[in-house]
Amino acid sequence: MVILSLIILNENVIDQDTLYDQLKRLGFKEKENHPVFGEWEKLIDKFIKQLYLARKKKESTNQNDKCIYDYMIGSRSKHEIGEVKIRKFIANIFGVEEQQEQQGDDEEEEEEDDEEEEDEEESEDVNLKTVDYFDKMEKEGYTIQVDQPHQALPNWAAALSHLEAKFGTLVGSNLYITPTPATSSSSSTVAKSQGLATHHDDIEAIVVQLWGTKKWLLAPPRTPSCRLAGHSSPDLTPIDPSHPDSLQLELSPGDVLYFPRGHLHEATTESGSIHLTISLYQRQSWSDLLQSAFGRAAGWLEEAMNPRCRENVNVNVHRNEDVDLQLRRGLPVGWSSFVGPDREKDEQKTRKTEFVAKFHECLDLVFKKSPIDVFIEPFALDFFVNRLPPPEKILTQGTTKRRHSEDIDDWSEEEQQKTEIRLKDPRYLFASIGESPDGNEKKLVVIDWSLNDWKNHMGNKEGDEPSRENQVWFPAEYHSSFQSLVANHPNFTKL
């Protein structure tokens, strides 16, 4: 609503620089994530793709200039929100509403009646607007983007579940529908539709052509910093098809195209097109893992400075008291006087060399003398929390029930000796040694992520923390037995 209000206040169109200046006043900063909305450029692109905003490229005489846009209210905002509600929102901000309320209830009743009439008119005209919308798509070359269609298609969700199990990373999908472009009888050029401007993505992309044909133009990253990019780009200047490193190809139904993160691409169609893009390996680099590990290491170091004073010091299985003691030792006397590139006197240089050696020794204490899983597990757990459940769980729509057998302690010795067991699918189990819920002893916790909600996969909602329903606690000494079951899968193991 804030962005729509800015557009209204600027006579229904706002240029890119003015919009970005206003966003900065609201706390958005370039190349920084907003604590609530994330990256502002991605937020604007999302509103445009959802048709809440529209934009028009400004003409430029220099082909090397970066694309500059004017922003307008999108068709979806006009239909779902309307200018009346936007202006009311502006009035509330400036305190006009309180003055209007004092004029009596009659005006409010009249406004409500007017709104009801508008709703009735919109309801009667909805089919016509839908026709107009698709007509505009055809004439102006718009593309429909369907985010995560597998949330409504169990067979497709099951296929993506297989890919997630194979790659060990979240896998998403988008469907792009581009109608046949309108051809003008007065023009000799072939009409083309292009949904998105030239850009690069932060995902490994697999494109599957489903209907029609689509021409793709690809090129390697323009700068070294964009190789295997960790962030998507804004709209960029078009690719030069005559460049020796560019690649042109046309996809027909059944064709599959793959290109890595950071590669520039643009696509057009002359016949209309429907294609599916499978995305994977988003934020799954060594850099992302190290960021997560260093974040966990910060908490680990804080625990070293604040040891848990308990009688049973062995409760925390991961701590090494000798390592913690080394990390709590004080820094050398006057250490800040010989740190810096300008401190190159012989005595300072010697002390600095010793200081740097000790610094690396402390890093080794954290990452080599401590269980590495402590730092890696949180990154892996993020995948398990948000991954798709097994294909069979999706295809049965969650109707399968867990089967609970009687207590094994009631079996005879002969029955126990004859029994063999195995894990159904260890890929969906996450095991870790930690403290029991009451904090009094070491336990092996096995978390089953086969109950995840596939209809919300890759949605706006964050993954849920494991509930009691999908956690099972065992004595810590069972850890080796569990590892044997995993290693022996899919074979059975004698009980």
Side-chain angles (χ1 to χ4, degrees):
M1 286 294 283
V2 173
I3 296 176
L4 296 177
S5 300
L6 291 171
I7 294 174
I8 290 288
L9 292 173
N10 282 271
E11 300 181 352
N12 296 321
V13 61
I14 187 170
D15 64 81
Q16 182 171 309
D17 292 337
T18 303
L19 175 60
Y20 291 172
D21 286 341
Q22 295 295 334
L23 290 176
K24 289 177 183 177
R25 294 185 179 185
L26 296 174
F28 288 88
K29 297 180 181 179
E30 292 186 21
K31 299 180 180 180
E32 289 188 16
N33 282 340
H34 189 278
V36 177
F37 300 106
E39 294 184 29
W40 56 270
E41 288 183 341
K42 287 186 177 180
L43 181 68
I44 295 295
D45 287 341
K46 180 179 180 181
F47 288 154
I48 291 170
K49 291 176 181 178
Q50 294 175 342
L51 302 180
Y52 285 113
L53 293 177
R55 67 184 176 190
K56 183 178 181 181
K57 183 179 177 182
K58 284 190 172 184
E59 296 296 331
S60 175
T61 57
N62 189 348
Q63 294 184 351
N64 296 324
D65 286 348
K66 183 179 178 181
C67 296
I68 303 297
Y69 296 96
D70 284 330
Y71 291 88
M72 292 78 69
I73 295 176
S75 57
R76 192 171 175 184
S77 293
K78 292 178 182 178
H79 295 161
E80 294 182 4
I81 303 173
E83 187 173 330
V84 174
K85 291 183 180 179
I86 299 174
R87 292 190 180 277
K88 283 185 178 181
F89 178 79
I90 297 172
N92 291 340
I93 293 177
F94 289 99
V96 179
E97 184 181 36
E98 295 181 2
Q99 299 175 13
Q100 291 178 341
E101 288 178 354
Q102 296 175 4
Q103 296 177 6
D105 296 333
D106 293 339
E107 291 185 4
E108 291 184 2
E109 292 178 0
E110 291 178 3
E111 289 178 0
E112 290 177 1
D113 292 339
D114 291 341
E115 288 181 6
E116 288 179 2
E117 291 178 4
E118 288 178 5
D119 291 340
E120 290 177 1
E121 291 176 0
E122 288 184 6
S123 177
E124 292 173 357
D125 200 34
V126 65
N127 291 331
L128 180 59
K129 287 179 178 177
T130 302
V131 172
D132 291 343
Y133 173 73
F134 280 98
D135 184 57
K136 186 176 182 180
M137 281 182 55
E138 181 178 1
K139 290 180 178 179
E140 301 188 19
Y142 281 80
T143 291
I144 295 178
Q145 176 178 324
V146 183
D147 288 334
Q148 314 304 336
H150 60 274
Q151 294 176 352
L153 302 170
N155 287 333
W156 180 232
L160 295 188
S161 177
H162 281 294
L163 291 176
E164 287 193 341
K166 173 66 176 178
F167 289 99
T169 177
L170 296 178
V171 179
S173 64
N174 284 334
L175 186 69
Y176 296 89
I177 305 172
T178 305
T180 303
T183 302
S184 174
S185 58
S186 61
S187 175
S188 59
T189 60
V190 178
K192 296 180 181 180
S193 288
Q194 180 173 345
L196 298 173
T198 305
H199 67 286
H200 73 244
D201 293 313
D202 61 345
I203 50 94
E204 307 289 325
I206 301 174
V207 177
V208 182
Q209 189 68 26
L210 302 178
W211 173 84
T213 60
K214 201 147 202 177
K215 294 182 178 180
W216 288 81
L217 182 58
L218 299 99
R222 288 175 176 164
T223 61
S225 61
C226 291
R227 290 180 295 184
L228 297 178
H231 295 278
S232 297
S233 73
D235 292 347
L236 303 172
T237 55
I239 300 170
D240 180 2
S242 64
H243 194 281
D245 291 332
S246 65
L247 173 65
Q248 300 182 66
L249 66 163
E250 184 175 52
L251 297 187
S252 300
D255 289 342
V256 177
L257 168 67
Y258 161 77
F259 49 87
R261 291 172 284 142
H263 271 60
L264 300 174
H265 53 279
E266 57 186 68
T268 59
T269 179
E270 300 171 4
S271 62
S273 166
I274 299 178
H275 81 264
L276 192 68
T277 297
I278 303 169
S279 58
L280 61 159
Y281 265 80
Q282 185 177 45
R283 305 309 300 267
Q284 290 290 301
S285 68
W286 283 104
S287 175
D288 295 303
L289 175 59
L290 287 172
Q291 289 179 54
S292 174
F294 283 128
R296 179 66 185 91
W300 173 273
L301 292 169
E302 180 62 27
E303 291 177 8
M305 294 302 297
N306 298 280
R308 301 177 180 182
C309 300
R310 297 177 178 174
E311 293 182 3
N312 182 10
V313 295
N314 292 322
V315 166
N316 195 329
V317 67
H318 297 306
R319 301 305 314 185
N320 184 316
E321 294 300 331
D322 292 335
V323 169
D324 288 352
L325 179 61
Q326 291 294 322
L327 294 172
R328 290 198 298 270
R329 295 192 182 280
L331 294 171
V333 174
W335 69 275
S336 59
S337 65
F338 52 84
V339 174
D342 58 332
R343 313 298 171 89
E344 297 297 335
K345 293 181 180 180
D346 292 341
E347 181 182 354
Q348 292 175 331
K349 190 173 183 179
T350 300
R351 295 191 66 191
K352 182 177 180 179
T353 301
E354 294 173 350
F355 179 83
V356 171
K358 185 64 178 179
F359 181 83
H360 286 292
E361 180 184 331
C362 289
L363 288 179
D364 287 344
L365 287 174
V366 175
F367 290 104
K368 291 185 178 180
K369 300 295 184 180
S370 305
I372 194 65
D373 285 342
V374 174
F375 309 112
I376 296 178
E377 278 185 2
F379 193 74
L381 191 59
D382 181 67
F383 164 62
F384 279 85
V385 170
N386 295 286
R387 71 180 303 181
L388 283 163
E392 60 270 18
K393 291 281 187 180
I394 298 173
L395 297 176
T396 56
Q397 302 285 314
T399 56
T400 56
K401 301 290 185 180
R402 288 187 174 185
R403 293 177 294 178
H404 297 276
S405 61
E406 64 273 16
D407 194 334
I408 195 171
D409 292 335
D410 296 334
W411 294 5
S412 67
E413 183 176 347
E414 182 180 0
E415 288 176 319
Q416 294 186 28
Q417 290 177 349
K418 290 182 179 180
T419 300
E420 293 183 331
I421 61 173
R422 71 173 178 181
L423 300 172
K424 188 171 183 180
D425 194 338
R427 296 176 300 178
Y428 293 88
L429 300 177
F430 191 90
S432 178
I433 295 289
E435 295 180 3
S436 60
D438 57 14
N440 291 327
E441 58 180 328
K442 293 183 292 182
K443 283 282 190 177
L444 167 67
V445 57
V446 179
I447 307 175
D448 178 10
W449 295 106
S450 66
L451 302 179
N452 286 358
D453 179 15
W454 64 274
K455 293 183 179 180
N456 189 56
H457 178 255
M458 301 293 284
N460 294 326
K461 177 184 174 184
E462 294 293 334
D464 296 324
E465 291 297 320
S467 64
R468 291 290 179 187
E469 183 181 4
N470 60 347
Q471 291 187 57
V472 184
W473 294 83
F474 299 97
E477 56 267 25
Y478 282 26
H479 193 201
S480 59
S481 299
F482 178 79
Q483 290 176 321
S484 297
L485 289 173
V486 173
N488 202 32
H489 184 270
N491 300 316
F492 283 88
T493 301
K494 284 190 176 182
L495 188 60

